[in-house]
Amino acid sequence: MPDPSPDALSETAARAAAEPVHQGLYGPFTITAADRREVLAYRLSLTAAAIAQLALLAQWHWLGGEWLWPWLLPLAVGVGLALHWIHIYLRPLHRALQLFWLLGCAGLVGLCLWAGPEAMATSLQADGRWVWAVGPLFAALAGIGFKEFFCFRRPEAIGVTLLLPAALLGHLSGLLAPALAGRLLALQAVLLLVLCLRKFPMPAAADVGDKSVFAYLESQRRAAAA
């Protein structure tokens, strides 16, 4: 593969020099084009999950609970991709949310094999114990909501964080009637979509966070592993 030409190198350097420099806790950093692509991927993935969840609940309400798995697929994939692209300072928390997502996806597969793809939602509604299997997926989504609230203090984010577990745990415990749990989930899905749509006008730097903190934590991990 040929070496980059001097003109290409100078163009790359000029683009890097044109990037605004942000002062972080541990030093200056810039937001690169790769950072902006990651942020866009995160926002699009979370938006896809929000639309899928809202469409699932709408179909369930107006057309019944059969054959909802086509919405479960983009919901699960959207949450998984969002967790891939999300920027979280604490790696253990990031890994924990990804583990919840994986466990929840395994629970969805188990529910599909047991009840059949056409009866997944109705079986979940009829037997709240399935919440233990699929709940970790939604716990991961609630974790994203908490991260968004912690970083940006958006009221819709705290709504996602609280309403999602309240609806599922209320159904699991029998404290909430199915209709009320469904309304809480519908409100949560609307708030999630509002959260996503409000993120697109934000600068990419808001979602990237302080890159100097990431660099510092990574250096600490490497020093501890050495």
Side-chain angles (χ1 to χ4, degrees), residues 61-96:
H61 178 73
W62 281 298
L63 300 177
E66 295 184 353
W67 295 104
L68 294 179
W69 69 265
W71 297 117
L72 287 171
L73 186 60
L75 171 60
V77 171
V79 173
L81 290 176
L83 286 172
H84 175 72
W85 298 115
I86 196 171
H87 290 78
I88 298 178
Y89 294 127
L90 299 178
R91 180 175 289 185
L93 176 59
H94 192 180
R95 293 291 182 261

Tab-separated table of all heavy atoms in Angstrom, residues 61-96:
chain	number	residue	atom	x	y	z
A	61	HIS	N	-51.540	-2.747	21.494
A	61	HIS	CA	-52.763	-2.107	21.981
A	61	HIS	C	-53.900	-2.206	20.968
A	61	HIS	O	-55.051	-2.504	21.332
A	61	HIS	CB	-52.476	-0.640	22.307
A	61	HIS	CG	-53.687	0.122	22.761
A	61	HIS	ND1	-54.253	-0.056	24.012
A	61	HIS	CD2	-54.450	1.067	22.129
A	61	HIS	CE1	-55.308	0.739	24.131
A	61	HIS	NE2	-55.441	1.434	23.012
A	62	TRP	N	-53.606	-1.955	19.694
A	62	TRP	CA	-54.671	-1.866	18.710
A	62	TRP	C	-54.915	-3.167	17.928
A	62	TRP	O	-56.029	-3.386	17.455
A	62	TRP	CB	-54.370	-0.739	17.724
A	62	TRP	CG	-54.695	0.606	18.287
A	62	TRP	CD1	-55.931	1.054	18.677
A	62	TRP	CD2	-53.789	1.679	18.543
A	62	TRP	NE1	-55.853	2.334	19.158
A	62	TRP	CE2	-54.559	2.763	19.098
A	62	TRP	CE3	-52.424	1.855	18.382
A	62	TRP	CZ2	-53.977	3.966	19.467
A	62	TRP	CZ3	-51.849	3.057	18.759
A	62	TRP	CH2	-52.623	4.095	19.283
A	63	LEU	N	-53.886	-4.009	17.813
A	63	LEU	CA	-54.036	-5.210	16.991
A	63	LEU	C	-53.857	-6.507	17.770
A	63	LEU	O	-54.013	-7.588	17.209
A	63	LEU	CB	-53.027	-5.186	15.825
A	63	LEU	CG	-53.154	-3.997	14.868
A	63	LEU	CD1	-52.069	-4.058	13.810
A	63	LEU	CD2	-54.542	-3.966	14.219
A	64	GLY	N	-53.525	-6.408	19.048
A	64	GLY	CA	-53.339	-7.617	19.837
A	64	GLY	C	-51.862	-7.972	19.984
A	64	GLY	O	-50.978	-7.381	19.355
A	65	GLY	N	-51.617	-8.961	20.833
A	65	GLY	CA	-50.246	-9.292	21.208
A	65	GLY	C	-49.557	-10.332	20.356
A	65	GLY	O	-48.455	-10.770	20.697
A	66	GLU	N	-50.167	-10.759	19.265
A	66	GLU	CA	-49.538	-11.784	18.430
A	66	GLU	C	-48.573	-11.143	17.420
A	66	GLU	O	-48.781	-10.042	16.947
A	66	GLU	CB	-50.604	-12.594	17.694
A	66	GLU	CG	-51.503	-13.403	18.632
A	66	GLU	CD	-52.482	-14.266	17.880
A	66	GLU	OE1	-52.550	-14.138	16.635
A	66	GLU	OE2	-53.184	-15.069	18.524
A	67	TRP	N	-47.526	-11.906	17.122
A	67	TRP	CA	-46.561	-11.529	16.094
A	67	TRP	C	-45.950	-10.153	16.322
A	67	TRP	O	-45.933	-9.293	15.442
A	67	TRP	CB	-47.181	-11.598	14.701
A	67	TRP	CG	-47.560	-12.986	14.305
A	67	TRP	CD1	-48.795	-13.528	14.265
A	67	TRP	CD2	-46.662	-14.027	13.915
A	67	TRP	NE1	-48.744	-14.846	13.875
A	67	TRP	CE2	-47.438	-15.177	13.653
A	67	TRP	CE3	-45.268	-14.098	13.765
A	67	TRP	CZ2	-46.880	-16.394	13.252
A	67	TRP	CZ3	-44.718	-15.306	13.374
A	67	TRP	CH2	-45.509	-16.430	13.114
A	68	LEU	N	-45.411	-9.982	17.543
A	68	LEU	CA	-44.707	-8.744	17.852
A	68	LEU	C	-43.193	-8.867	17.709
A	68	LEU	O	-42.478	-7.875	17.858
A	68	LEU	CB	-45.036	-8.289	19.282
A	68	LEU	CG	-46.485	-7.870	19.540
A	68	LEU	CD1	-46.669	-7.468	20.995
A	68	LEU	CD2	-46.900	-6.730	18.625
A	69	TRP	N	-42.709	-10.086	17.429
A	69	TRP	CA	-41.256	-10.277	17.397
A	69	TRP	C	-40.560	-9.426	16.338
A	69	TRP	O	-39.378	-9.064	16.539
A	69	TRP	CB	-40.909	-11.758	17.191
A	69	TRP	CG	-41.249	-12.306	15.829
A	69	TRP	CD1	-42.370	-12.970	15.468
A	69	TRP	CD2	-40.439	-12.225	14.658
A	69	TRP	NE1	-42.342	-13.310	14.133
A	69	TRP	CE2	-41.158	-12.870	13.620
A	69	TRP	CE3	-39.190	-11.677	14.373
A	69	TRP	CZ2	-40.652	-12.956	12.324
A	69	TRP	CZ3	-38.688	-11.762	13.079
A	69	TRP	CH2	-39.422	-12.417	12.077
A	70	PRO	N	-41.207	-9.060	15.205
A	70	PRO	CA	-40.482	-8.183	14.271
A	70	PRO	C	-40.083	-6.847	14.886
A	70	PRO	O	-39.144	-6.205	14.411
A	70	PRO	CB	-41.478	-8.003	13.117
A	70	PRO	CG	-42.318	-9.237	13.143
A	70	PRO	CD	-42.481	-9.525	14.598
A	71	TRP	N	-40.800	-6.404	15.945
A	71	TRP	CA	-40.409	-5.175	16.635
A	71	TRP	C	-39.395	-5.456	17.733
A	71	TRP	O	-38.593	-4.582	18.075
A	71	TRP	CB	-41.634	-4.479	17.220
A	71	TRP	CG	-42.620	-4.018	16.216
A	71	TRP	CD1	-43.902	-4.434	16.066
A	71	TRP	CD2	-42.402	-3.053	15.179
A	71	TRP	NE1	-44.507	-3.788	15.002
A	71	TRP	CE2	-43.600	-2.930	14.446
A	71	TRP	CE3	-41.304	-2.276	14.789
A	71	TRP	CZ2	-43.743	-2.065	13.357
A	71	TRP	CZ3	-41.437	-1.414	13.713
A	71	TRP	CH2	-42.624	-1.318	13.012
A	72	LEU	N	-39.439	-6.661	18.299
A	72	LEU	CA	-38.475	-7.000	19.343
A	72	LEU	C	-37.055	-7.058	18.787
A	72	LEU	O	-36.094	-6.725	19.486
A	72	LEU	CB	-38.826	-8.344	19.982
A	72	LEU	CG	-40.049	-8.359	20.902
A	72	LEU	CD1	-40.400	-9.794	21.278
A	72	LEU	CD2	-39.770	-7.537	22.157
A	73	LEU	N	-36.936	-7.468	17.541
A	73	LEU	CA	-35.600	-7.590	16.937
A	73	LEU	C	-34.899	-6.239	16.823
A	73	LEU	O	-33.785	-6.076	17.337
A	73	LEU	CB	-35.701	-8.283	15.577
A	73	LEU	CG	-34.383	-8.607	14.882
A	73	LEU	CD1	-33.534	-9.529	15.740
A	73	LEU	CD2	-34.646	-9.239	13.509
A	74	PRO	N	-35.497	-5.213	16.178
A	74	PRO	CA	-34.805	-3.905	16.130
A	74	PRO	C	-34.681	-3.262	17.501
A	74	PRO	O	-33.732	-2.502	17.736
A	74	PRO	CB	-35.667	-3.064	15.191
A	74	PRO	CG	-36.997	-3.728	15.188
A	74	PRO	CD	-36.736	-5.192	15.382
A	75	LEU	N	-35.604	-3.558	18.419
A	75	LEU	CA	-35.478	-3.033	19.772
A	75	LEU	C	-34.216	-3.565	20.433
A	75	LEU	O	-33.407	-2.801	20.982
A	75	LEU	CB	-36.712	-3.409	20.591
A	75	LEU	CG	-36.653	-3.115	22.099
A	75	LEU	CD1	-36.444	-1.627	22.354
A	75	LEU	CD2	-37.922	-3.605	22.776
A	76	ALA	N	-34.028	-4.884	20.376
A	76	ALA	CA	-32.851	-5.486	21.004
A	76	ALA	C	-31.568	-5.070	20.303
A	76	ALA	O	-30.565	-4.738	20.953
A	76	ALA	CB	-32.978	-7.014	21.000
A	77	VAL	N	-31.575	-5.051	18.972
A	77	VAL	CA	-30.375	-4.662	18.222
A	77	VAL	C	-30.055	-3.192	18.471
A	77	VAL	O	-28.881	-2.820	18.647
A	77	VAL	CB	-30.569	-4.937	16.717
A	77	VAL	CG1	-29.418	-4.344	15.912
A	77	VAL	CG2	-30.657	-6.438	16.468
A	78	GLY	N	-31.070	-2.342	18.505
A	78	GLY	CA	-30.840	-0.922	18.742
A	78	GLY	C	-30.216	-0.659	20.101
A	78	GLY	O	-29.276	0.136	20.223
A	79	VAL	N	-30.726	-1.329	21.135
A	79	VAL	CA	-30.149	-1.158	22.473
A	79	VAL	C	-28.718	-1.676	22.494
A	79	VAL	O	-27.816	-1.041	23.067
A	79	VAL	CB	-31.002	-1.879	23.530
A	79	VAL	CG1	-30.318	-1.855	24.893
A	79	VAL	CG2	-32.376	-1.235	23.635
A	80	GLY	N	-28.474	-2.830	21.853
A	80	GLY	CA	-27.119	-3.383	21.831
A	80	GLY	C	-26.129	-2.473	21.136
A	80	GLY	O	-25.012	-2.265	21.624
A	81	LEU	N	-26.523	-1.913	19.984
A	81	LEU	CA	-25.624	-1.001	19.268
A	81	LEU	C	-25.425	0.294	20.045
A	81	LEU	O	-24.321	0.858	20.057
A	81	LEU	CB	-26.181	-0.712	17.883
A	81	LEU	CG	-26.140	-1.876	16.890
A	81	LEU	CD1	-26.819	-1.493	15.586
A	81	LEU	CD2	-24.706	-2.325	16.633
A	82	ALA	N	-26.493	0.786	20.687
A	82	ALA	CA	-26.337	1.989	21.498
A	82	ALA	C	-25.332	1.755	22.626
A	82	ALA	O	-24.510	2.624	22.929
A	82	ALA	CB	-27.692	2.417	22.073
A	83	LEU	N	-25.374	0.569	23.233
A	83	LEU	CA	-24.423	0.251	24.296
A	83	LEU	C	-23.012	0.065	23.752
A	83	LEU	O	-22.033	0.201	24.490
A	83	LEU	CB	-24.867	-1.012	25.038
A	83	LEU	CG	-26.058	-0.833	25.967
A	83	LEU	CD1	-26.535	-2.178	26.491
A	83	LEU	CD2	-25.701	0.090	27.123
A	84	HIS	N	-22.903	-0.259	22.466
A	84	HIS	CA	-21.568	-0.354	21.855
A	84	HIS	C	-20.959	1.029	21.652
A	84	HIS	O	-19.768	1.230	21.885
A	84	HIS	CB	-21.660	-1.083	20.515
A	84	HIS	CG	-20.366	-1.118	19.764
A	84	HIS	ND1	-19.296	-1.902	20.138
A	84	HIS	CD2	-19.953	-0.444	18.652
A	84	HIS	CE1	-18.289	-1.720	19.300
A	84	HIS	NE2	-18.664	-0.829	18.393
A	85	TRP	N	-21.784	1.992	21.245
A	85	TRP	CA	-21.278	3.310	20.895
A	85	TRP	C	-21.320	4.308	22.041
A	85	TRP	O	-20.739	5.385	21.942
A	85	TRP	CB	-22.080	3.889	19.718
A	85	TRP	CG	-21.997	3.098	18.459
A	85	TRP	CD1	-23.003	2.450	17.830
A	85	TRP	CD2	-20.833	2.862	17.654
A	85	TRP	NE1	-22.560	1.821	16.700
A	85	TRP	CE2	-21.222	2.053	16.573
A	85	TRP	CE3	-19.492	3.251	17.750
A	85	TRP	CZ2	-20.340	1.641	15.593
A	85	TRP	CZ3	-18.612	2.831	16.777
A	85	TRP	CH2	-19.039	2.039	15.718
A	86	ILE	N	-22.012	3.977	23.128
A	86	ILE	CA	-22.166	4.926	24.223
A	86	ILE	C	-20.820	5.215	24.876
A	86	ILE	O	-19.920	4.364	24.880
A	86	ILE	CB	-23.171	4.366	25.264
A	86	ILE	CG1	-23.655	5.458	26.204
A	86	ILE	CG2	-22.561	3.215	26.055
A	86	ILE	CD1	-24.807	5.023	27.114
A	87	HIS	N	-20.674	6.423	25.404
A	87	HIS	CA	-19.451	6.816	26.104
A	87	HIS	C	-19.742	6.876	27.602
A	87	HIS	O	-20.505	7.744	28.055
A	87	HIS	CB	-18.949	8.183	25.608
A	87	HIS	CG	-18.400	8.146	24.215
A	87	HIS	ND1	-19.221	8.125	23.108
A	87	HIS	CD2	-17.129	8.117	23.749
A	87	HIS	CE1	-18.462	8.098	22.011
A	87	HIS	NE2	-17.202	8.085	22.369
A	88	ILE	N	-19.179	5.937	28.353
A	88	ILE	CA	-19.341	5.873	29.799
A	88	ILE	C	-17.946	5.799	30.412
A	88	ILE	O	-17.131	4.954	30.016
A	88	ILE	CB	-20.176	4.649	30.226
A	88	ILE	CG1	-21.595	4.744	29.645
A	88	ILE	CG2	-20.248	4.538	31.745
A	88	ILE	CD1	-22.474	3.558	29.980
A	89	TYR	N	-17.674	6.680	31.359
A	89	TYR	CA	-16.339	6.729	31.956
A	89	TYR	C	-15.986	5.424	32.674
A	89	TYR	O	-14.856	4.939	32.551
A	89	TYR	CB	-16.247	7.893	32.958
A	89	TYR	CG	-16.348	9.258	32.330
A	89	TYR	CD1	-17.273	10.191	32.795
A	89	TYR	CD2	-15.522	9.630	31.267
A	89	TYR	CE1	-17.375	11.454	32.233
A	89	TYR	CE2	-15.619	10.895	30.701
A	89	TYR	CZ	-16.543	11.797	31.188
A	89	TYR	OH	-16.633	13.033	30.610
A	90	LEU	N	-16.921	4.867	33.417
A	90	LEU	CA	-16.635	3.691	34.235
A	90	LEU	C	-16.812	2.427	33.397
A	90	LEU	O	-17.944	2.040	33.062
A	90	LEU	CB	-17.549	3.653	35.456
A	90	LEU	CG	-17.429	4.849	36.416
A	90	LEU	CD1	-18.428	4.711	37.550
A	90	LEU	CD2	-16.005	4.956	36.951
A	91	ARG	N	-15.707	1.781	33.075
A	91	ARG	CA	-15.775	0.582	32.247
A	91	ARG	C	-16.596	-0.534	32.906
A	91	ARG	O	-17.368	-1.225	32.209
A	91	ARG	CB	-14.370	0.085	31.902
A	91	ARG	CG	-14.378	-1.162	31.038
A	91	ARG	CD	-12.991	-1.577	30.613
A	91	ARG	NE	-12.431	-0.666	29.634
A	91	ARG	CZ	-11.252	-0.868	29.041
A	91	ARG	NH1	-10.514	-1.944	29.365
A	91	ARG	NH2	-10.810	-0.009	28.146
A	92	PRO	N	-16.476	-0.781	34.230
A	92	PRO	CA	-17.302	-1.842	34.840
A	92	PRO	C	-18.799	-1.606	34.660
A	92	PRO	O	-19.557	-2.557	34.430
A	92	PRO	CB	-16.895	-1.808	36.321
A	92	PRO	CG	-15.522	-1.252	36.323
A	92	PRO	CD	-15.500	-0.239	35.206
A	93	LEU	N	-19.229	-0.340	34.758
A	93	LEU	CA	-20.646	-0.041	34.539
A	93	LEU	C	-21.036	-0.299	33.093
A	93	LEU	O	-22.108	-0.867	32.819
A	93	LEU	CB	-20.924	1.415	34.917
A	93	LEU	CG	-22.347	1.924	34.657
A	93	LEU	CD1	-23.365	1.093	35.421
A	93	LEU	CD2	-22.465	3.400	35.020
A	94	HIS	N	-20.176	0.095	32.171
A	94	HIS	CA	-20.432	-0.146	30.753
A	94	HIS	C	-20.548	-1.640	30.483
A	94	HIS	O	-21.489	-2.102	29.810
A	94	HIS	CB	-19.298	0.463	29.920
A	94	HIS	CG	-19.602	0.534	28.460
A	94	HIS	ND1	-18.709	1.048	27.536
A	94	HIS	CD2	-20.681	0.142	27.741
A	94	HIS	CE1	-19.238	0.979	26.330
A	94	HIS	NE2	-20.437	0.429	26.424
A	95	ARG	N	-19.629	-2.434	31.017
A	95	ARG	CA	-19.659	-3.881	30.815
A	95	ARG	C	-20.889	-4.505	31.476
A	95	ARG	O	-21.466	-5.473	30.952
A	95	ARG	CB	-18.381	-4.507	31.373
A	95	ARG	CG	-17.116	-4.108	30.613
A	95	ARG	CD	-17.104	-4.712	29.229
A	95	ARG	NE	-15.881	-4.372	28.505
A	95	ARG	CZ	-15.794	-3.401	27.600
A	95	ARG	NH1	-16.859	-2.659	27.321
A	95	ARG	NH2	-14.653	-3.167	26.971
A	96	ALA	N	-21.301	-3.969	32.626
A	96	ALA	CA	-22.479	-4.499	33.309
A	96	ALA	C	-23.736	-4.285	32.462
A	96	ALA	O	-24.573	-5.187	32.336
A	96	ALA	CB	-22.637	-3.845	34.675
